């Protein structure tokens, strides 16, 4: 096997100091995975190899950045690329593919001006060169409008699909044609300045999310509830009516609130995770004048603990107990559930939150070999952890002893003072996972096991800067099954349950596979979720950049 084919080869020694994973050697370039592509608005046929189960009927929808420059202006960060929506439509074992750029105000304006006009996460839009010197100077003092470049995820509210990012704007979209519909502003419905792209859904059809707000009273993290869709016919327009803030949680430090990407939810509780990735509000207000992008005002401050704020999702009442754990950061939750008076939370965690700002296009386009290896080996790798929170802590609860009495559980929780509990996690893996570089983008059988006790989850292994393997994790045995092939980079796996399933892993796992080695060699991969072996793939002659998140929209 030549050096190019050893993409996934790791040295056995030494281990990376910041994370436990082996150091990588000989990583190939992934620059072709962060290049602009053309859209495919009309569905095209694919070539099927193997067999895709005929019971699958629906659309695998994916979102992510797809255009990284306008004219002579280039975006700086991977998150900045213009949203490109993808649809793999599956019926009777056949697959078609289509894609469209989101016609956001950001995209349309940039396209019309042939330059970057709207600032993004890592890129500041420069003043109009046609303005005179004084106009350009004073334009720096204007507060920039938040972007509506919703490139992170597909989300659902009251039966409608939207694409979402982390500002106050979403865009309603047609999940079949990928047509861009109206722009939706959260601030027109409830008092929040933004919302995450990772809502949760209950079994009644209500949606839950987190958003922040700030003003004279300070900085708050808000739990949002959007009611289920109304019964009967609905108008073809965005509808977030009935949305409400269930609870407002004050930031521990209003001058330096925490960044958050998602949150945890069980049958009866919502948990906000206040982590030490901090936003410096003074810098945030000055960043336009200084010409700094948003990611420059985020800092990792591990001198602070991570705090779990527990809220009753039915009443909005916040627990008086502060659950703390030593500094860690998390982007994505796996699942949360209640068991014997405890709240169990599983999530992908890291010990160095500086990683978010590192995904610049310059870093992702590094040359293969030593330059790429050095950057990858400097980064924190995320691993799955379990935290267990005792829900019945009172003034009479004894201190300085482990309160977790669940059998076969290694997580601990110790009351350290009045209203405070220190939680220490359990690792949810064995050493084999380290050879895959840790994991991220976790998914479960959400339709049937969200907020319930479960056994399996699916994720991407990160033996490279982008995911280069698919993993099935067994929480009972802490063993894994893997799909991995040299030079192939899979997307976040999505589980689709089989009809009349009797076991948790009865179904398939889907992922979009791309490669930097060959042009137009994308395919949709379908794995048997139980055995984690390939059932079939649908090859499509297009280039797709590495994306973010997706969903399966069941039809029929």
């Amino acid at each position: 096997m030549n050096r190019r084919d050893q993409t996934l080869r790791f040295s056995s020694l030494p281990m990376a100091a910041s994370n436990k994973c082996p150091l990588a050697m000989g990583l190939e370039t992934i620059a072709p995975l962060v290049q602009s592509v053309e859209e495919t608005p009309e569905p095209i046929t694919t070539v099927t190899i193997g067999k895709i189960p005929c019971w699958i009927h629906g659309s695998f929808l994916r979102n992510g950045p797809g255009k990284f420059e306008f004219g002579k202006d280039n975006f700086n960060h991977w998150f900045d690329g213009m949203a490109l929506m993808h649809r793999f439509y599956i019926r009777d074992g056949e697959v078609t593919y289509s894609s469209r750029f989101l016609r956001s105000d950001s995209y349309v304006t940039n396209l019309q001006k042939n330059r970057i006009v709207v600032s993004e996460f890592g890129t500041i839009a420069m003043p109009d060169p046609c303005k005179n010197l004084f106009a350009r100077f004073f334009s720096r003092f204007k507060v920039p409008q938040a972007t509506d470049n919703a490139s992170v995820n597909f989300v659902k509210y009251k039966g409608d699909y939207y694409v979402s990012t982390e500002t106050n704007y979403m865009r309603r979209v047609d999940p079949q044609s990928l047509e861009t519909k109206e722009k939706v502003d959260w601030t027109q419905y409830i008092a929040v300045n933004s919302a995450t792209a990772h809502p949760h859904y209950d079994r009644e059809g209500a949606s839950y999310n987190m958003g922040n707000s700030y003003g004279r009273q300070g900085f708050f993290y808000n739990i949002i509830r959007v009611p289920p869709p109304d019964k009967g016919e609905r108008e073809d327009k965005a509808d977030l009516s009935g949305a409400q803030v269930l609870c407002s949680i004050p930031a521990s430090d209003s001058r330096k609130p925490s960044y958050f990407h998602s949150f945890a939810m069980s049958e009866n509780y919502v948990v906000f995770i206040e982590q030490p990735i901090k936003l410096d509000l003074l810098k945030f207000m000055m960043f336009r004048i200084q010409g700094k992008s948003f990611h420059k005002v985020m800092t990792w401050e591990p001198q602070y603990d991570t705090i779990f704020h527990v809220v009753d999702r039915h009443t909005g009442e916040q627990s008086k107990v502060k659950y703390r754990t030593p500094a860690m950061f998390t982007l994505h939750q796996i699942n949360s559930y209640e068991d014997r008076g405890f709240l169990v939370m599983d999530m992908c965690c890291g010990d160095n939150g500086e990683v978010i700002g590192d995904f610049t296009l310059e870093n992702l386009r590094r040359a293969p070999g030593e330059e790429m290896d050095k950057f990858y080996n400097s980064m924190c790798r995320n691993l799955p952890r379990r935290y267990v929170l005792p829900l019945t802590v009172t003034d009479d609860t004894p201190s300085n002893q482990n309160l977790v009495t669940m059998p076969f559980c290694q997580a601990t929780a110790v009351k350290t003072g009045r209203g405070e509990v220190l939680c220490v996690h359990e690792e949810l893996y064995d050493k084999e996972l380290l050879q895959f570089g840790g994991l991220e983008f976790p998914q479960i059988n959400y339709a049937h096991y969200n907020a319930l006790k479960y056994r399996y989850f699916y994720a991407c292994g990160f033996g490279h800067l982008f995911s280069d393997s698919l993993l099935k994790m067994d929480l009972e045995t802490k063993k894994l099954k893997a799909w991995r092939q040299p030079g192939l980079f899979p997307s976040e796996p999505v589980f689709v349950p089989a009809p009349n399933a009797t076991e948790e892993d009865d179904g398939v796992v889907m992922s979009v596979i791309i490669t930097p080695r060959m042009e137009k060699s994308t395919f949709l991969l379908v794995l048997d979720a139980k055995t984690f072996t390939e059932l079939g793939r649908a090859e499509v002659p297009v280039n797709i950049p590495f994306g973010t998140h997706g969903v399966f929209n069941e039809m029929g």
Side-chain angles (χ1 to χ4, degrees):
M1 184 182 295
N2 61 35
R3 181 181 175 92
R4 181 181 178 92
D5 286 332
Q6 295 184 51
T7 306
L8 299 154
R9 185 182 65 186
F10 293 92
S11 61
S12 57
L13 288 172
M15 303 291 276
S18 62
N19 44 63
K20 308 178 186 176
C21 295
L23 298 177
M25 296 177 62
L27 295 177
E28 66 183 293
T29 182
I30 55 171
L33 306 185
V34 283
Q35 302 292 342
S36 298
V37 299
E38 300 295 324
E39 65 181 4
T40 309
E42 297 301 321
I44 59 175
T45 58
T46 65
V47 175
T48 302
I49 297 175
K51 186 174 182 180
I52 295 175
C54 291
W55 57 261
I56 303 174
H57 182 201
S59 301
F60 185 27
L61 303 172
R62 292 274 306 156
N63 199 355
K67 184 173 177 60
F68 299 97
E69 68 284 313
F70 287 92
K72 296 181 180 179
D73 292 354
N74 295 279
F75 289 115
N76 298 323
H77 200 281
W78 175 50
F79 295 170
D80 300 340
M82 295 291 98
L84 180 60
M85 303 174 289
H86 310 268
R87 180 188 187 225
F88 289 86
Y89 176 59
I90 310 165
R91 183 171 187 177
D92 298 328
E94 302 293 327
V95 182
T96 61
Y97 169 80
S98 59
S99 66
R100 282 193 178 188
F101 281 106
L102 178 70
R103 264 55 178 186
S104 61
D105 290 349
S106 300
Y107 175 87
V108 171
T109 306
N110 291 341
L111 196 64
Q112 289 174 344
K113 300 289 186 180
N114 197 34
R115 65 184 183 87
I116 296 173
V117 180
V118 181
S119 296
E120 299 290 342
F121 176 79
T123 305
I124 287 291
M126 291 296 101
D128 189 342
C130 295
K131 291 181 178 180
N132 62 41
L133 178 63
F134 290 104
R136 291 201 302 270
F137 175 75
F138 284 110
S139 68
R140 286 189 175 273
F141 292 87
K142 294 180 180 178
V143 177
Q145 185 177 10
T147 182
D148 65 337
N149 176 37
S151 62
V152 178
N153 205 357
F154 280 86
V155 298
K156 204 171 186 179
Y157 294 103
K158 302 185 79 169
D160 284 330
Y161 273 101
Y162 298 79
V163 284
S164 179
T165 180
E166 295 187 329
T167 69
N168 55 303
Y169 294 119
M170 298 187 296
R171 279 282 184 166
R172 193 166 71 99
V173 295
D174 185 320
Q176 297 186 48
S177 68
L178 301 181
E179 175 191 358
T180 301
K181 297 193 173 184
E182 66 265 49
K183 181 178 177 178
V184 178
D185 183 352
W186 275 105
T187 66
Q188 300 303 306
Y189 294 90
I190 50 176
V192 297
N193 301 109
S194 67
T196 81
H198 289 288
H200 277 290
Y201 311 99
D202 67 19
R203 284 166 179 75
E204 288 70 46
S207 306
Y208 295 78
N209 208 335
M210 294 288 309
N212 61 45
S213 62
Y214 46 88
R216 293 181 180 178
Q217 303 296 320
F219 194 102
F220 295 88
Y221 313 109
N222 303 289
I223 298 172
I224 304 164
R225 181 183 185 273
V226 179
D230 298 327
K231 295 181 179 179
E233 292 188 15
R234 296 182 293 115
E235 294 184 62
D236 184 22
K237 67 176 185 179
D239 178 20
L240 296 182
S241 61
Q244 62 181 131
V245 172
L246 286 181
C247 180
S248 293
I249 303 166
S252 297
D253 183 349
S254 284
R255 297 168 301 175
K256 286 189 174 183
S258 295
Y259 168 77
F260 57 94
H261 185 72
S262 61
F263 63 100
M265 189 175 88
S266 69
E267 194 73 20
N268 295 296
Y269 298 95
V270 171
V271 182
F272 171 66
I273 302 161
E274 190 174 17
Q275 56 192 0
I277 301 178
K278 297 293 186 177
L279 307 177
D280 189 316
L281 291 187
L282 180 59
K283 286 184 179 179
F284 179 73
M285 291 185 287
M286 297 294 291
F287 84 111
R288 176 70 173 184
I289 301 170
Q290 297 170 342
K292 293 183 178 180
S293 55
F294 180 73
H295 80 288
K296 295 290 186 182
V297 305
M298 298 171 62
T299 57
W300 171 243
E301 302 194 19
Q303 68 271 26
Y304 295 101
D305 285 344
T306 296
I307 304 173
F308 302 122
H309 298 275
V310 178
V311 176
D312 187 309
R313 77 172 179 92
H314 305 293
T315 66
E317 182 180 358
Q318 184 178 354
S319 172
K320 293 180 174 60
V321 180
K322 286 287 184 294
Y323 300 90
R324 297 179 177 272
T325 193
M328 66 84 174
F329 84 97
T330 179
L331 293 176
H332 301 111
Q333 318 307 306
I334 304 171
N335 198 10
S336 300
Y337 62 91
E338 297 151 45
D339 186 10
R340 312 178 199 199
F342 297 95
L343 177 57
V344 179
M345 299 190 304
D346 298 342
M347 59 190 77
C348 299
C349 300
D351 293 320
N352 188 337
E354 294 177 354
V355 64
I356 296 175
D358 290 336
F359 274 70
T360 63
L361 292 172
E362 180 182 12
N363 282 333
L364 295 175
R365 291 169 178 167
R366 288 185 180 221
E370 184 177 352
E371 185 179 352
M372 179 67 78
D373 297 348
K374 183 178 180 181
F375 176 60
Y376 171 80
N377 290 329
S378 71
M379 299 188 73
C380 173
R381 253 60 69 74
N382 285 5
L383 295 164
R385 295 177 179 174
R386 170 167 291 176
Y387 292 90
V388 178
L389 280 54
L391 294 170
T392 56
V393 177
T394 67
D395 290 345
D396 297 327
T397 301
S399 300
N400 302 318
Q401 68 180 54
N402 182 19
L403 303 177
V404 179
T405 57
M406 293 172 56
F408 310 110
C409 181
Q410 298 170 23
T412 63
V414 176
K415 183 181 175 185
T416 56
R418 186 171 183 178
E420 292 212 351
V421 173
L422 177 65
C423 301
V424 177
H425 65 272
E426 174 185 353
E427 306 283 13
L428 293 180
Y429 62 91
D430 68 11
K431 291 182 179 180
E432 184 181 8
L433 175 60
L434 302 180
Q435 301 302 317
F436 291 87
L439 58 77
E440 254 294 348
F441 293 150
Q443 290 282 326
I444 63 168
N445 181 345
Y446 194 95
H448 299 117
Y449 286 85
N450 178 50
L452 300 175
K453 192 172 183 178
Y454 70 116
R455 178 171 178 176
Y456 303 108
F457 75 92
Y458 312 90
C460 289
F462 274 79
H464 206 305
L465 293 175
F466 285 154
S467 52
D468 60 352
S469 61
L470 293 169
L471 305 173
K472 177 184 180 180
M473 305 295 295
D474 186 331
L475 295 174
E476 287 189 8
T477 65
K478 296 187 179 180
K479 299 295 183 181
L480 63 81
K481 294 179 180 177
W483 182 94
R484 180 174 64 178
Q485 295 184 13
L488 299 184
F489 292 78
S491 73
E492 169 190 66
V494 170
F495 178 88
V496 181
N500 305 314
T502 58
E503 296 186 311
E504 181 182 341
D505 56 351
D506 282 347
V508 299
V509 169
M510 295 183 186
S511 177
V512 177
I513 313 298
I514 58 179
T515 179
R517 298 185 179 183
M518 189 178 300
E519 284 281 303
K520 298 183 177 181
S521 299
T522 298
F523 61 91
L524 172 68
L525 174 69
V526 181
L527 301 176
D528 182 312
K530 190 175 290 291
T531 64
F532 224 57
T533 55
E534 182 173 337
L535 294 173
R537 61 177 67 181
E539 298 178 338
V540 56
V542 297
N543 291 327
I544 295 179
F546 192 81
T548 46
H549 298 289
V551 298
F552 183 75
N553 179 30
E554 187 174 356
M555 302 173 70

